[in-house]
Amino acid sequence: NWGVPGGLPAERDGSCYDNLDNFPRKGVTFGGHLWGKNDDGVPTVYYAFNNPGVSEQRIQEAMDYYEKHTCLRFEKIVGFHFGSHVSFSDGDGCSSAIGYQFQNLFWGQRLSLSSGCSRLNIVIHEIGHAIGLYHEQSRSDRDGYVTIIDENIPSNKIRNFRKADTLNYNTIYDYFSVMQYGPLSFSKNGGSTMVANKPEYHGLLVKERTGMSFMDLLQVNTMYECSEYWLSECQVKNSSCQNLGYFGPDCVCICPEGTSGDNCETKDMEYTDALVKMYLQL
């Protein structure tokens, strides 16, 4: 199901859920399944290209995106490496394990990007899985925001819509998350597989994503303690950011849509309403 409007194509085989029982949260929260820090205290993801069929340029663009907006760094393996690493391959469909894996220390944990997975937002999505993110529609609070229409989903794909016992780091359910499926993902009959509970928000599920949302970045930067790292680098003792804003790499607050002020201190409207105004009411 590659041509779904809006959101992202569904992972063809759903293999990003192979280890669901071992990773019960949308964002991995216990250190054993986060990527570790290098000698400089920077969280580092090691990787290798497993075959020539993958788009190394597009993968590099996605890794550059993460390095610009988070404190994560990606280090390519040179020569022999025995240890956990992401192994990019052009296998069947778009898929990835969730978070740092202890298995396959020689071959690495596979991240599959077939020829239909070359769009930048898809590569960002799959790397999101590899660093510890689940799908947005798996959040524990999702029933208050979206309705899953089981009868339009093949029985062998329903696991991709399974709700999990997630810890969401005080983030708001984000219809515009790069981890959010589109409304027709995995449809077996052309009907919607999920709809927004509030009709005025449904357009955000359809709207094409071009990168990570504020809430995506807030979650990753919280998981990997990036604000603490940037505070230290900027020689600032405490963050003054408010209303879910966080201290960023340029030594200033990164503010969510719907807020204003240097410290995000003014809340002009709710986050989701601000997204609607920005992307749907042009």
Side-chain angles (χ1 to χ4, degrees), residues 5-245:
L8 292 155
E11 282 93 347
R12 182 177 296 170
D13 60 3
S15 60
C16 61
Y17 273 80
D18 283 349
N19 296 308
L20 182 62
D21 293 335
N22 294 327
F23 298 92
R25 303 184 184 277
K26 177 174 183 285
V28 176
T29 59
F30 37 98
H33 298 310
L34 292 175
W35 291 85
K37 297 178 180 180
N38 64 15
D39 293 340
D40 296 322
V42 179
T44 302
V45 178
Y46 296 93
Y47 71 95
F49 296 115
N50 192 38
N51 54 47
V54 296
S55 174
E56 295 187 18
Q57 179 180 351
R58 188 52 55 86
I59 292 169
Q60 187 61 57
E61 289 176 10
M63 292 189 296
D64 289 345
Y65 183 93
Y66 274 97
E67 291 192 346
K68 178 179 179 180
H69 296 286
T70 77
C71 62
L72 285 168
R73 294 297 176 262
F74 294 82
E75 185 172 326
K76 186 176 181 180
I77 293 171
V78 178
F80 177 78
H81 178 86
F82 182 75
S84 293
H85 61 280
V86 174
S87 178
F88 290 100
S89 70
D90 64 345
D92 183 32
C94 323
S95 63
S96 173
I98 304 292
Y100 176 94
Q101 302 287 300
F102 297 103
Q103 302 87 3
N104 302 320
L105 296 181
F106 182 77
W107 297 108
Q109 59 188 73
R110 183 181 180 188
L111 192 157
S112 177
L113 295 168
S114 69
S115 59
C117 310
S118 60
R119 283 161 44 198
L120 179 60
N121 61 336
I122 297 176
V123 182
I124 291 173
H125 175 103
E126 296 305 334
I127 292 177
H129 285 315
I131 64 172
L133 297 179
Y134 278 107
H135 293 132
E136 192 74 2
Q137 69 269 8
S138 295
R139 287 174 60 125
S140 57
D141 60 353
R142 66 99 183 273
D143 290 338
Y145 301 91
V146 295
T147 297
I148 307 301
I149 306 175
D150 292 350
E151 57 265 31
N152 293 337
I153 304 170
S155 59
N156 65 334
K157 303 299 183 183
I158 197 69
R159 61 180 177 173
N160 292 281
F161 299 85
R162 190 196 309 179
K163 184 170 64 173
D165 180 19
T166 60
L167 181 64
N168 303 311
Y169 298 95
N170 294 319
T171 60
I172 297 167
Y173 190 97
D174 196 346
Y175 299 97
F176 211 52
S177 168
V178 77
M179 306 308 294
Q180 170 71 57
Y181 274 0
L184 297 180
S185 294
F186 282 124
S187 177
K188 66 181 181 182
N189 53 19
S192 295
T193 54
M194 78 176 78
V195 295
N197 290 353
K198 291 187 176 182
E200 62 268 31
Y201 295 158
H202 188 74
L204 293 173
L205 295 177
V206 179
K207 185 73 174 178
E208 179 74 20
R209 291 125 173 91
T210 57
M212 301 180 81
S213 69
F214 172 86
M215 294 297 165
D216 291 331
L217 292 172
L218 173 60
Q219 181 149 322
V220 173
N221 286 322
T222 301
M223 287 165 57
Y224 284 95
E225 301 178 336
C226 292
S227 284
E228 290 82 352
Y229 172 76
W230 289 322
L231 283 166
S232 176
E233 289 291 296
C234 297
Q235 298 183 342
V236 175
K237 186 175 181 179
N238 296 304
S239 170
S240 58
C241 307
Q242 303 175 41
N243 292 314
L244 295 181

